[in-house]
Amino acid sequence: SKAPITVAVTGAAGQIGYSLLFRIASGALFGADQPVNLRLIERNDEKALSALNGVCMELDDCAFPLLNSITPTCELDVGFQGVNWAILVGSVPRGPGMERKDLLKINGGIFTGQGKAIEKNAAGDVRVLVVGNPCNTNCLIAMNNAKGVPADRWFAMTRLDENRAKSQLAAKAGVHHSTVSNLAIWGNHSATQYPDFFNAKIGGKAATDVISDHDWLKGEFISTVQQRGAAIIKARGLSSAASAANAACDTVHSLTRPTPEGDWTSVAVCSDGSYGIEKGLMFSFPIRTDGNKWEVVQGVPVNEFSQAKIKATETELREERDAVTELGLI
Ligand code: NAX
């Protein structure tokens, strides 16, 4: 049988962790023949570590055939030891009255430390997916504090946005969401993100041909996707968790297997200057991969409407980058 893959998850006792860990342990990310070691990281807090212990008890109680070992810890050098994948979920959300700068500072402390610990302890082939918000900039901070880990190993999650956009387009067209392809999310995982319907396809045809209501596409569609997180909080009283965990599974799945012919997927990566996006920003692009090496899909048409949206989300990411630079985090 195969040697186990070692996966670290931070914020393992949180909402997303509670959905994600069971999917990882059941084989949903790496396949039904791939054993996994889980290294579960929480903050050094009695309540959090007790909750993590409870989650570990439940993982034991699943008796997952593929789950080789579980290591709960609050020490980063232990948590990131030998990891092939690090999924960084734990972060501190913006509380009432908290300034954006305070938020970046608190999370900066978390992600500088985690970047350093990944560089020091992870396996040579480590890949990192940041989910905890603000995920693009948290990823930027970690990456810049782990210069020994190549830039092409760092990802921030926009797949939930892609999935949300596909589901909205399918509902409008009255078709199943599996028929929607080529949906690129450009930019930041925030309210400035641009879900690119101009290049999306429905049943292989241009979404703009299938959906005749272009005012809806340019207006309500975009704002529904951008505001979906807030709508979930309003409805559920809690932020998206199972769908976020599902998107993390989808992201890792897509990055570790060849992209279907003619399609692409969305994830934020370190910009190489493609599409005029400033180099070094963590920016969501349409990407393709052979399961190992990925590339930004080139030559995707960007019209004037799209260009304006893409510039707006780039501007926001530059501002976040400038703020964390000023704070000395990168
Ligand atoms: P929870 O508050 O339920 O869980 C977060 C967990 O992280 C807690 O158990 C906490 O103790 C832990 N934690 C905090 N600081 C830590 C540290 N330094 N080291 C290790 N663990 C630490 O939040 P949850 O709903 O699970 O969401 C987690 C993050 O995902 C949030 O930042 C959230 O904003 C973000 N999201 C990102 C999404 C995306 O598409 N990229 C969508 C869903 C979600 O909003």
Side-chain angles (χ1 to χ4, degrees), residues 49-130:
L49 290 171
S50 168
L52 180 59
N53 184 43
V55 175
C56 292
M57 289 160 69
E58 286 202 70
L59 282 165
D60 283 340
D61 295 348
C62 292
F64 284 119
L66 293 171
L67 185 51
N68 189 60
S69 72
I70 312 174
T71 311
T73 183
C74 60
E75 287 180 41
L76 298 181
D77 285 342
V78 175
F80 291 119
Q81 190 60 58
V83 305
N84 308 105
W85 269 95
I87 307 181
L88 309 184
V89 179
S91 71
V92 174
R94 190 164 173 167
M98 197 190 271
E99 295 287 334
R100 206 174 113 211
K101 245 200 163 132
D102 300 333
L103 181 74
L104 290 173
K105 206 179 206 164
I106 294 168
N107 282 304
I110 297 176
F111 287 86
T112 50
Q114 292 184 355
K116 290 187 172 111
I118 288 169
E119 180 178 40
K120 183 172 160 209
N121 298 289
D125 66 351
V126 67
R127 286 188 264 184
V128 185
L129 172 65
V130 179

Side-chain angles (χ1 to χ4, degrees), residues 10-17 41-43 48 89-93 110 114 130-133 135 157 160-161 164 189 239-241 244:
T10 68
Q15 282 204 94
I16 294 175
I41 305 173
E42 259 297 339
R43 68 206 156 86
V89 179
S91 71
V92 174
I110 297 176
Q114 292 184 355
V130 179
V131 175
N133 282 322
C135 65
M157 190 169 91
L160 180 55
D161 307 300
R164 285 166 169 170
H189 168 69
S239 59
S240 338

Side-chain angles (χ1 to χ4, degrees), residues 8-279:
V9 178
T10 68
Q15 282 204 94
I16 294 175
Y18 194 70
S19 286
L20 179 60
L21 301 181
F22 297 85
R23 301 278 300 275
I24 300 174
S26 73
L29 277 69
F30 302 105
D33 61 345
Q34 177 59 64
V36 287
N37 297 317
L38 282 178
R39 303 189 81 87
L40 306 180
I41 305 173
E42 259 297 339
R43 68 206 156 86
N44 189 4
D45 167 271
E46 206 178 316
K47 255 184 146 169
L49 290 171
S50 168
L52 180 59
N53 184 43
V55 175
C56 292
M57 289 160 69
E58 286 202 70
L59 282 165
D60 283 340
D61 295 348
C62 292
F64 284 119
L66 293 171
L67 185 51
N68 189 60
S69 72
I70 312 174
T71 311
T73 183
C74 60
E75 287 180 41
L76 298 181
D77 285 342
V78 175
F80 291 119
Q81 190 60 58
V83 305
N84 308 105
W85 269 95
I87 307 181
L88 309 184
V89 179
S91 71
V92 174
R94 190 164 173 167
M98 197 190 271
E99 295 287 334
R100 206 174 113 211
K101 245 200 163 132
D102 300 333
L103 181 74
L104 290 173
K105 206 179 206 164
I106 294 168
N107 282 304
I110 297 176
F111 287 86
T112 50
Q114 292 184 355
K116 290 187 172 111
I118 288 169
E119 180 178 40
K120 183 172 160 209
N121 298 289
D125 66 351
V126 67
R127 286 188 264 184
V128 185
L129 172 65
V130 179
V131 175
N133 282 322
C135 65
N136 298 55
T137 296
N138 286 341
C139 188
L140 183 82
I141 294 169
M143 179 179 77
N144 279 280
N145 283 276
K147 288 280 165 61
V149 179
D152 65 359
R153 310 282 189 76
W154 300 84
F155 307 94
M157 190 169 91
T158 55
R159 180 59 172 268
L160 180 55
D161 307 300
E162 176 188 328
N163 289 348
R164 285 166 169 170
K166 283 178 166 171
S167 142
Q168 292 298 321
L169 289 182
K172 184 73 173 178
V175 298
H176 192 260
H177 44 257
S178 61
T179 62
V180 184
S181 67
N182 301 84
L183 195 299
I185 301 293
W186 298 88
N188 201 1
H189 168 69
S190 77
T192 66
Q193 63 169 282
Y194 174 47
D196 181 358
F197 56 87
F198 277 112
N199 290 294
K201 292 181 181 164
I202 301 177
K205 293 189 206 126
T208 48
D209 288 342
V210 178
I211 296 171
S212 54
D213 187 351
H214 288 193
D215 287 342
W216 179 84
L217 286 170
K218 289 180 177 166
E220 201 180 322
F221 164 70
I222 295 178
S223 58
T224 299
V225 176
Q226 289 175 337
Q227 302 297 334
R228 186 69 163 180
I232 301 280
I233 293 176
K234 193 159 173 247
R236 212 170 79 88
L238 291 167
S239 59
S240 338
S243 57
N246 179 66
C249 295
D250 284 352
T251 307
V252 174
H253 196 273
S254 291
L255 288 172
T256 49
R257 289 165 182 82
T259 310
E261 190 60 40
D263 203 357
W264 57 62
T265 188
S266 306
V267 67
V269 295
C270 183
S271 171
D272 65 350
S274 292
Y275 296 94
I277 303 306
E278 187 175 335
K279 271 190 192 170

